[in-house]
């Protein structure tokens, strides 16, 4: 990989100090009306270049180019809350393919997700052609361990592990891989929002995630690299069911201290 580097164009810099103010690593200082890097603690989060009014900062070896903000993107809070209120786990899907451009937008939501220490450790495995084969591997594992797990868990004892127990005949499943599990789960949530905005229904397959984490064979089949884990698996497709109202939730449990 190309060496990552923050580059400050001193001829453009006016020494306003905004870059230094947003630098979480305290890696930029202004001296003599010009900003400069002062250490090697940079996490390459890019906030310095995103805030610079002079476009004086760039980064080498850090991936894609930047997009100028055209205006403030602000969603209506009530609408956002309704999206959260009315989203449901979907387990019945239409047998309709997910268009490539929709899939790419969902993956883009994952790619752009923020990560702890700006690790950008996310990758994605789209289970399309291999979906049934991989689901079959997870089924084999779950069916083998069920008699043992079922002794302790009524859920495992009572659940029917049918041939579509993990992916519910959905056209696509996406395994989200990450070094840090929290990063992967955050990506999954962002991907769900974009999927829903495209009219897709989503299920978090915790069970498949569990199987993939436990099985070396599944990890091999889907290509989980060393150091990464399956953080979450999203099952996606056009919903075959329409929910008419929200579902009961426990009362808010929050304290102000
Ligand atoms: C982390 C996580 C893992 C889940 N795993 C599964 C799963 O493997 N299979 C399944 O049928 N549902 C799974 N679900 C769906 C939950 O059962 C569901 O979110 C919950 O019952 C509430 O229903 P709702 O999502 O429709 O509001 C999972 C949900 C979450 C958040």
């Amino acid at each position: 990989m190309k060496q990552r580097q923050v580059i400050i164009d001193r001829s453009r810099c006016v020494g306003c100090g905004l870059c230094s103010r947003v630098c979480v690593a305290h890696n930029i200082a202004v001296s003599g009306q010009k900003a400069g890097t002062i250490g090697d603690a940079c996490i390459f989060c890019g906030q310095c270049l995103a805030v610079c009014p002079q476009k004086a900062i760039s980064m080498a070896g850090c991936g894609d180019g930047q997009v100028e903000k055209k205006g403030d993107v602000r969603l209506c809070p009530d609408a956002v809350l309704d999206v959260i209120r009315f989203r449901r786990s979907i387990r019945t899907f239409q047998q309709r393919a997910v268009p490539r451009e929709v899939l790419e937008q969902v993956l883009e939501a994952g790619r752009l997700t923020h990560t702890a220490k700006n690790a950008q450790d996310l990758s994605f495995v789209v289970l399309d052609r291999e979906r049934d084969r991989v689901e079959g591997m997870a089924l084999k594992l779950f069916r083998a361990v069920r008699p043992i797990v079922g002794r302790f868990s009524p859920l495992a004892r009572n659940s029917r592990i049918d041939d579509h127990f993990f992916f519910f005949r959905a056209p696509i499943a996406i395994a989200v891989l990450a070094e840090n599990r929290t990063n992967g789960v955050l990506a999954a949530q962002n991907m769900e929002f974009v999927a829903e905005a495209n009219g897709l229904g989503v299920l978090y397959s915790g069970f498949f995630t569990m199987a993939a984490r436990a099985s070396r064979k599944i990890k091999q089949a889907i290509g989980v690299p060393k150091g990464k884990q399956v953080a979450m698996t999203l099952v996606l497709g056009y919903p075959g069911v329409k929910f008419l109202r929200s579902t009961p939730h426990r009362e808010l449990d929050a304290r102000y201290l």
Side-chain angles (χ1 to χ4, degrees), residues 19-33:
C19 51
S20 163
R21 225 186 295 161
V22 298
C23 179
V24 66
H26 306 289
N27 208 53
I28 301 182
V30 177
S31 149
Q33 297 294 305

Side-chain angles (χ1 to χ4, degrees), residues 34-187:
K34 299 288 173 190
T37 53
I38 49 174
D40 57 3
C42 182
I43 61 167
F44 303 96
C45 67
Q47 288 207 2
C48 53
L49 75 84
V51 80
C52 178
Q54 301 299 318
K55 290 195 189 170
I57 306 182
S58 57
M59 279 191 188
C62 290
D64 63 359
Q66 283 67 60
V67 177
E68 287 300 311
K69 236 170 119 174
K70 294 200 184 78
D72 265 338
V73 184
R74 192 164 289 279
L75 305 173
C76 163
D78 284 338
V80 174
L81 206 52
D82 270 356
V83 168
I84 296 166
R85 194 190 319 277
F86 292 115
R87 65 141 291 288
R88 293 275 73 80
S89 295
I90 298 301
R91 300 184 182 87
T92 307
F93 295 92
Q94 297 172 33
Q95 288 314 298
R96 182 178 152 202
V98 177
R100 190 61 175 231
E101 60 275 16
V102 171
L103 198 52
E104 280 169 8
Q105 215 181 47
V106 170
L107 291 168
E108 186 67 349
R111 182 181 79 90
L112 293 176
T113 297
H114 57 309
T115 49
K117 296 186 204 152
N118 193 37
Q120 300 195 17
D121 55 336
L122 301 161
S123 47
F124 309 92
V125 181
V126 180
L127 294 169
D128 184 358
R129 277 170 292 122
E130 293 290 310
R131 180 201 56 183
D132 291 347
R133 187 173 77 87
V134 173
E135 185 172 37
M137 295 170 83
L139 286 168
K140 203 168 158 194
L141 174 71
F142 261 45
R143 284 171 178 155
V145 300
R146 195 182 42 180
I148 306 152
V149 180
R151 280 194 220 146
F152 317 102
S153 157
L155 184 67
R157 204 163 44 241
N158 296 333
S159 59
R160 271 186 50 236
I161 306 181
D162 68 30
D163 289 351
H164 303 283
F165 176 74
F166 296 99
F167 300 155
F168 294 87
R169 294 187 170 85
I172 294 286
I174 303 177
V176 181
L177 314 185
E179 286 165 22
N180 172 322
R181 199 171 181 182
T182 306
N183 293 341
V185 175
L186 280 176

